[in-house]
Amino acid sequence: MTTENKTMLRLAKVQDSHLKDKSVVVRVDYNVPMKDGVIKDDTRIRETLKTVKYLLDANCKVVLMAHLGRPKGKADPKYTLAPVAPHLEKLAGVKVHFASDCVGPEAAKAVKAAKNGEIVLLENLRYHAEEEKNDEAFARGLAAHGEFFVQEAFGALHRAHSSTAAIAKFLPGAIGFLVQKELEYLDKAMVSPVRPFVAIIGGAKVSDKIDVLYSLIDKVDTVIIGGGMAYTFLAAQQTNIGKSLLEADKVEEARKIIMKAFKKNVEMLLPADHVVVKEIKPDAAKEVTQSMAIGDGWIGVDIGPRTEMLFVDKIKAAKTVFWNGPVGIFETPAFAGGSIAVAKAMAEATRNGATTILGGGDTLSVLKTAGVKTAQISHCSTGGGASLEFIEGKMLPGLVALSQK
Ligand code: AMP
């Protein structure tokens, strides 16, 4: 049995792969926030438990491989995955062996020592520069740990790396439950959304979100633009934006996006007023503008109260909502009001029966700041970049590698 997503890839599912008493290599996304060896948020670990437990119940040996941070191809204790092992042991309720390397004799020894029904966690894949080069010999070394490959790292699907792409040349493979869930939500929203479909795109940079905006305009009824990137759009409409964030080389692109929305009859909402400061610092004196224009010398740091009402009403009336990126500098409590209001509106839309989807590390942090639980949102994607590339219609290398002809 296979699943087909909108990219028309045929992908085997873990539950249809008849895995029993096998050694299974599973690529997971354990790129969790960690400080001094303490895991600050274990959502990404918990999200893989369904697949891990399914394999343990089938008496498989589960060999987990993941990356953490950017150790730049060298062993660096700052980026060790070691603290994940005891944490996972508690969550999974079985022994977790930690291998101090992901390939070579140390890894082979740990895999051999583990029994079926136990877990091996391999050390950070990115301790080896070959990983990010999608090196085949390195992939073969990873594949040597098992007889089957399960792709469960949704957040890494948009990367063509040895552990996400090349490995599929050496082992038969399937997608795990988390990847299935992510694809189902995103696929449904993009292929047959219940309308009205509203997208809120915020964050700092237009350049990161141009492609997704172009694609979303083909699908949504309303696109809301907030955050730092909104100023480039306002500049494209000859609105004065003071000293706010501007990507001058993207103004023309922003104008094209505005024109596309206009031609397609898609409503585009930009901030109608702003919270502004003279200097970006936590205790800066704030003012609210009277219109969408910002005076000389002022910097837009959050949406204003009128905009907040406008955005919130749109979100609450929607039946499908996709959100990526904060609408203000939410890390500073004084500038977080607009982003918190959006998070709360998402929760209310969910209560009203809408399908709400959000993605991106910052967007998840806003949710936390707002006191909204992930359970109050239909689907919180574990991969911001991967979910954006999926919506852009790009082929995700981690899926292409597993696709059956
Ligand atoms: P991104 O990674 O593109 O989603 O951007 C997230 C970042 O956008 C956060 O760190 C926010 O502080 C930042 N951001 C949101 N609104 C603004 C703004 N008005 N000016 C500058 N940065 C902003």
Side-chain angles (χ1 to χ4, degrees):
M1 275 268 286
T2 57
T3 183
E4 276 191 27
N5 73 353
K6 82 178 206 310
T7 51
M8 302 311 282
L9 298 173
R10 299 178 71 241
L11 300 163
K13 297 178 182 177
V14 63
Q15 65 271 36
D16 297 323
S17 304
H18 310 291
L19 297 170
K20 190 132 191 45
D21 309 320
K22 294 254 192 312
S23 275
V24 182
V25 184
V26 187
R27 175 58 158 104
V28 286
D29 178 7
Y30 286 174
N31 193 21
V32 290
M34 227 188 287
K35 200 161 188 262
D36 305 326
V38 179
I39 298 163
K40 293 284 165 205
D41 182 347
D42 68 353
T43 310
R44 285 180 165 167
I45 302 173
R46 287 176 186 276
E47 290 276 5
T48 64
L49 288 178
K50 188 170 172 188
T51 292
V52 168
K53 286 187 174 160
Y54 175 85
L55 293 170
L56 294 173
D57 286 348
N59 198 38
C60 291
K61 187 187 292 188
V62 180
V63 183
L64 301 175
M65 50 180 185
H67 76 274
L68 180 71
R70 294 179 190 278
K72 305 212 171 94
K74 281 198 206 78
D76 181 345
K78 218 168 100 193
Y79 298 105
T80 179
L81 278 165
V84 175
H87 193 85
L88 181 63
E89 197 160 86
K90 273 195 219 125
L91 293 176
V94 301
K95 184 160 177 54
V96 177
H97 304 251
F98 183 70
S100 59
D101 201 351
C102 60
V103 286
E106 281 306 313
K109 206 164 88 190
V111 173
K112 195 160 173 237
K115 300 191 198 70
N116 282 19
E118 292 182 346
I119 298 172
V120 182
L121 174 64
L122 303 175
E123 181 56 287
N124 197 339
L125 292 158
R126 292 193 185 168
Y127 278 8
H128 295 264
E130 295 92 330
E131 159 68 355
E132 292 185 70
K133 293 181 184 146
N134 201 14
D135 182 88
E136 291 206 356
F138 182 67
R140 201 179 289 120
L142 296 171
H145 301 315
E147 302 148 85
F148 196 87
F149 168 61
V150 172
Q151 176 55 271
E152 192 61 327
F154 180 77
L157 287 182
H158 59 314
R159 311 270 184 225
H161 292 169
S162 296
S163 66
T164 58
I167 190 168
K169 290 189 183 156
F170 307 108
L171 288 177
I175 52 172
F177 292 108
L178 172 62
V179 169
Q180 290 171 40
K181 185 174 80 161
E182 295 265 13
L183 294 179
E184 272 157 33
Y185 270 102
L186 293 171
D187 230 14
K188 180 157 187 300
M190 299 318 284
V191 176
S192 51
V194 184
R195 295 185 182 280
F197 182 5
V198 174
I200 314 134
I201 304 295
K205 284 167 119 193
V206 183
S207 34
D208 290 347
K209 315 259 165 101
I210 282 174
D211 293 340
V212 79
L213 282 167
Y214 270 116
S215 304
L216 279 170
I217 288 169
D218 289 324
K219 320 271 181 194
V220 300
D221 302 290
T222 303
V223 58
I224 296 175
I225 297 179
M229 56 187 279
Y231 306 110
T232 301
F233 281 82
L234 291 172
Q237 296 183 320
Q238 267 88 44
T239 304
N240 193 0
I241 59 162
K243 281 201 309 180
S244 308
L245 198 67
L246 171 71
E247 279 173 89
D249 59 335
K250 293 289 174 287
V251 170
E252 197 41 47
E253 205 79 50
R255 196 171 289 133
K256 282 190 196 150
I257 291 172
I258 295 169
M259 279 315 294
K260 179 170 177 184
F262 178 73
K263 281 191 192 141
K264 291 233 156 196
N265 216 8
V266 167
E267 181 180 39
M268 180 179 276
L269 299 183
L270 292 170
D273 61 351
H274 315 268
V275 173
V276 292
V277 294
K278 287 268 190 193
E279 233 185 313
I280 300 182
K281 52 178 195 181
D283 56 351
K286 297 193 289 183
E287 285 202 8
V288 173
T289 61
Q290 292 304 307
S291 70
M292 56 171 45
I294 297 177
D296 291 343
W298 291 89
I299 308 164
V301 289
D302 195 6
I303 53 173
R306 279 196 302 130
T307 308
E308 192 177 300
M309 261 167 35
L310 193 71
F311 287 7
V312 162
D313 284 350
K314 271 289 161 204
I315 295 164
K316 288 200 304 204
K319 284 282 169 264
T320 306
V321 193
F322 176 78
W323 177 29
N324 183 297
V327 296
I329 305 178
F330 77 100
E331 297 92 338
T332 303
F335 314 146
S339 300
I340 289 173
V342 169
K344 289 187 171 160
M346 289 285 284
E348 197 167 336
T350 321
R351 270 200 302 282
N352 295 343
T355 300
T356 51
I357 304 169
L358 61 82
D362 279 324
T363 318
L364 279 164
S365 302
V366 174
L367 215 60
K368 237 186 183 165
T369 309
V372 175
K373 301 216 163 34
T374 50
Q376 292 172 269
I377 305 295
S378 312
H379 181 62
C380 294
S381 178
T382 52
S387 61
L388 286 180
E389 290 202 14
F390 183 86
I391 286 170
E392 285 161 26
K394 287 191 183 147
M395 295 290 230
L396 302 180
L399 294 182
V400 175
L402 277 180
S403 171
Q404 300 170 341
K405 304 288 171 309

